[in-house]
Structures are given as structure tokens and as C-alpha cells.
Amino acid sequence: MRQNQFIGLIGSAAEAGPRAVPEAAARPSVQTEEQDFPLIIANLPATGGQKAIAVGVAILLAVAAAMIAPFASIQLGRVDAFIPVLQTSLSVADFITATLLFAQYSIQPQRALLALACGYMFSGSFAFLQTLAFPGGYAPAGLIGDGPNSPAWIYVLWHTTFPAAILVYAFTKDVPGAARPGRPAMTNIAITIACVFAMIAGLTWVVTKTEYLPSFYTTDVRFQTPLGNQVNVALLLWGSTALAVLLFRRRTILDLWLMLTLLAYSPNFLVAIIGSSVRFSVGWYAARCFVLVGSCMLLTVLLIETMVLYSRLASAITLQRRERINRFLTVEAVTGAIAHELRTPLGAIALNADTALSQLRWNPPELEDLKDILVDIEADSHRAAAMISSIREMTTKTVNRGALTSAEDVGQFALRLLKHDLQVNEISVTTEFQGNLPEVQLDGMELQQVLLNLVKNAIDAMRSSRPEARRLRLKTSFDGQATVLMSVQDSGHGISAEDQERIFDPFFTTKPDGMGLGLAISSNLVANHGGKLRLVKSDSDGSIFELALPVGGQRSTTSMS
């Protein structure tokens, strides 16, 4: 038997189906509210693979910094175009990131996302303003400010406001949103943008027009005052504080890459503290390249996640349309068959009834043929009823009689469809597929619907369990004769003994928002193809539902219990 295990982080609102869910699972909470809008990286927990990638990036940053450190003080030629090109690119990247975060806020109105978007607006704005003030950037003495000190103070504003916004994000990300998606959220975004630009304008005026601020440089940009080193130490500690808070409160993909962004900013301060902040040295050039890399990290992740979610949405819409078309075609075929088959007996009934009425209107009424007419009407009505019964039997039992399906392929596909749900609910999934199983006598779409219902019910049953205790297992086997067995096992709190007797009854459910049709429909669907859906066990360790599916070309002839 081959065993494949993969761990996903996962959540969703499952389809209706009678599974026991403790009352705690139905209580309103921040996590429940976030699961209403799960398709944003602010709510998606980082998977093991994503954490491994982040660790790899962190190691690369550390190695690059260590390799550059011995040469940091070497003076290079002055390239005046370096700062305008690099920081304009950085500013554009930050503004695009802020735009994407505002877009995520419009979907999931969380104050934390609004704060983080503000942080990237501050970062992009101050990066561009420092370029305008930087001597030799767009003008020999800069377009704004006093020359050497104004760019330094704008730099301080830049690296003070950005970690501050991340701290606000970290402390408010578990607070429910105050607005709803749509116009209220857009109004909040507009007000926030206006306030941020007003603050940027005011702070910039202070550091470029005020003569009372202390100086970072005297007469030569190669020599920094003691205040410069002290401020760089303070900025390093400020960024490290934001990094530490995120480290202890991390849960999502967004948290993970924000930590890497702050980590990438660290060499910028270390170079200034250890090797002095002499401009146009190896360390000075490298430190700003690190900042550019850090600014592009979250943008890259946001774009990748957007493309992934878009592809999943496109696939889901394609499958939905295909299923809808198939259902429409089936309905059209059935209604066409009914119309064709019933036209003759209904026409005969109408003709006989009209004849009988005509004979009754005669004076005196003709009653000789009336008995024969009524007998014909009765026979035609029985004929119509028989046709309806045959068509119903055809649609419920024989439409997919020739459909053969690989149960394991459908199982893997169902898990892919629910990958996001499993990821958000932090459920560990194990598949134990025997492999090379014979195909079963069940349409793939129908088996997929049954498995989706079972897995979604399992997700609901485990939602109140600890994340590390949430385990889902799909297992297949073959009895060697005519039946393929497929089980879905969860580690929830199980189903009570009194509810187990009624678990497959229509309209019976233990969920506050359930309809009680999921398992009833699934059971009937499998039974129509000669199979059996049954509850094998359910206790405090979880539940096991098992599908017994007849091998293609065969039908179950014995009752399966």
C-alpha cells in the first residue's frame, strides 16, 4: 500500500450534512468571521512549504550580508543616478503593494490591513521624497530641503513610520472589521489615503523647513555626527521590536513575509552603525539594495497569491459551468422524452373525453358507447402513468449505468478542490490509497459530490479541536471480489449515540445552520448504484464514514451492513 501525506492549513463553511458539532464551534468569533472571507493572504496560514521558502530567503539574506560585510567600508565611485533609480523603483513597488492591500481590505475590512497599507504608503512616499531631497539626485543640492540633513531626517521618518504601521497591524489583526465590503470600505480607504498624505506633507515640511532640528552631518557627508549612530541604533531596535511582535503573533502568510521584509531592512542600519554611514561605499550601496529587495518581497507574494487564487477561481467556475450544462442537458433530455411519450395517451384521453361530452349533450344523450369511451380513458391514463414511472426509473437508475470511475482519482481531485478549506482550518491530511484499484460503478461527478460532502462535514466536526489534533484520513481498499471500500476519517468529537441512528435521515441535523440533506442525498445516490454509505464508528476520537462501491460491470446483490 502506498501512503502519501501532505499537511495543509485550511477553512470554510461546509455543505449541510448531519454531523455532530459542539456548541463552541457555532459561537461567533474573530476566526469565524475571517472564514467568511478566506481568500486573502491576511487570513491564510503559512504552509510548511511556504515556511521553508521563507527560511531559505532569510538564509540567503544573511549569507549575502556576511559576504558583503568585510568590504562594507570600501569607497566606490559616486553614481548620482543610483538613488533616483533605486528609490523610485522602491517607491513604485510600495505604492503597488499598498494598492493591493487596500484591495484586500475592500474584500475583508480589517483595520490591520488598513494600517499596513498606510505603512507602505508612508514607505513609498518618504522613499521618493528622500530622492527629491538627496544631493545629486534630481539636482546638485536636491530639489527640496537643506542638502545633507533633510534626506537623513526623511530617512528617519521613512524607517519610523513603516515599523510603526506593522506594529499597529500586529496588535489589531485579530480585531473584527468595522466596515462591510463595498461602499463603506471604499469610503474608509479614501479617508485613510487623505489622512496619510496630509501627515506626510506635514512631517516633510517639518524636516525640510525647520532649522531647529539637530544635524546628522557637519560639512562633509563622509563624516556623521554621534547623533547619526544613535538614531541608527534606535531605528534598528524599533524595527527589531516590530519583528519580535510579529514573530510571537505570526499565523498567516502575510505575517511571514512582513518579518522577512523587516529582516531585509536590518543591514541598512547595521552598516551605518558598524561601518559608518559614509555614502557611496560598498556597504552603503548594498544596504539600499537590501531595502529594495525587502520592499519587493510582499509585492511578489501578493501577485503570486493573486494569480493562484485567480486560477483556482477560474477552475471552479469552469467546473461549475460544466456541471450546470450537464444538468441542463439531462433536464432537456428528460423533458423531451416526457413530452414525446405522453403526447399520444394524453391526446387519446382528450379526444375520448371530448367525444363523451358531445354524446352527453345530445337530446336524448347517446349512452351506448360511453362505457367503452371511459374504459379507453382509464387505459390511456394507466399508460401515461406507466410512462412517467419508466422515465423516472431511467433517470434515477440507468442514466449513468455505463459510467465507470476511479475512486482514488476522484478522491485526490476532491482534496484539491478543498485544499483552501483544509489549509485555513490547519488540518493534516493523509491519504492511504492502495493503487491499481478497479473502477467503480458510479459517475465521477456524483462520487465527487459525495466525497465533498463527507470531507466538508469532517472539517466542521474538527473545527473546535486544537489545530495540532485536526487529522483527516482518506483510505481505499478492495475486498478482492466486487467491492471497493473508501473511508473518510476525522479526529473530531464524534456523533452522539442517539444521533447515530438518525444520521442518514432527511432533514435531521445537529448543525445550527444545517438542512440535514447532505448525508441523506449522498446515501441515496450511492444506493441507486448498488453501493452503500455507512457510519463505521463514531466516538470521542472521531468518526469514520465508509463508502462501499460496486466494481464496474457488477452490482451488489447482498445487503451491506
Side-chain angles (χ1 to χ4, degrees), residues 6 53 60 89 101 114 142 152 181 196 208 210 214 235 248 260 268 283 320 324-325 344 376-377 385 506 510 528:
F6 56 93
I53 293 174
L60 286 176
S89 302
L101 289 170
L114 210 56
V196 168
T208 56
T210 303
L235 292 177
F248 286 105
L260 283 175
N268 203 25
Q320 187 181 38
R324 184 182 300 142
I325 291 172
T344 300
D376 289 342
I377 290 176
T510 58
N528 286 338

Side-chain angles (χ1 to χ4, degrees), residues 495-508:
I495 303 169
S496 62
E498 58 270 18
D499 290 341
Q500 292 182 26
E501 299 295 328
R502 305 175 57 194
I503 197 70
F504 294 106
D505 292 348
F507 303 107
F508 173 77

Side-chain angles (χ1 to χ4, degrees), residues 110-131:
Q110 289 180 327
R111 295 185 183 93
L113 288 175
L114 210 56
L116 188 59
C118 291
Y120 273 92
M121 286 187 65
F122 279 120
S123 177
S125 299
F126 285 130
F128 183 70
L129 289 170
Q130 193 199 28
T131 305

Side-chain angles (χ1 to χ4, degrees), residues 4-84:
N4 175 35
Q5 182 170 7
F6 56 93
I7 297 180
L9 303 168
I10 309 179
S12 85
E15 292 288 336
R19 294 292 301 276
V21 180
E23 292 183 2
R27 294 173 185 162
S29 64
V30 175
Q31 184 178 5
T32 303
E33 179 176 326
E34 289 180 355
Q35 288 170 353
D36 292 337
F37 301 97
L39 298 181
I40 59 174
I41 67 170
N43 293 338
L44 285 174
T47 64
Q50 290 164 340
K51 292 178 181 177
I53 293 174
V55 171
V57 172
I59 292 173
L60 286 176
L61 290 174
V63 170
M67 293 176 63
I68 295 171
F71 311 99
S73 59
I74 297 176
Q75 198 69 23
L76 299 178
R78 175 169 178 164
V79 181
D80 287 333
F82 177 77
I83 285 293

Side-chain angles (χ1 to χ4, degrees), residues 419-456:
K419 181 179 179 181
H420 171 76
D421 296 355
L422 295 168
Q423 182 180 355
V424 170
N425 282 287
E426 303 181 58
I427 295 176
S428 172
V429 181
T430 303
T431 58
E432 298 180 11
F433 289 166
Q434 182 171 318
N436 299 321
L437 293 178
E439 294 183 324
V440 297
Q441 185 72 45
L442 186 63
D443 178 70
M445 187 65 69
E446 294 177 342
L447 179 56
Q448 175 186 311
Q449 292 172 352
V450 173
L451 288 176
L452 288 176
N453 184 72
L454 292 176
V455 175
K456 286 181 178 180

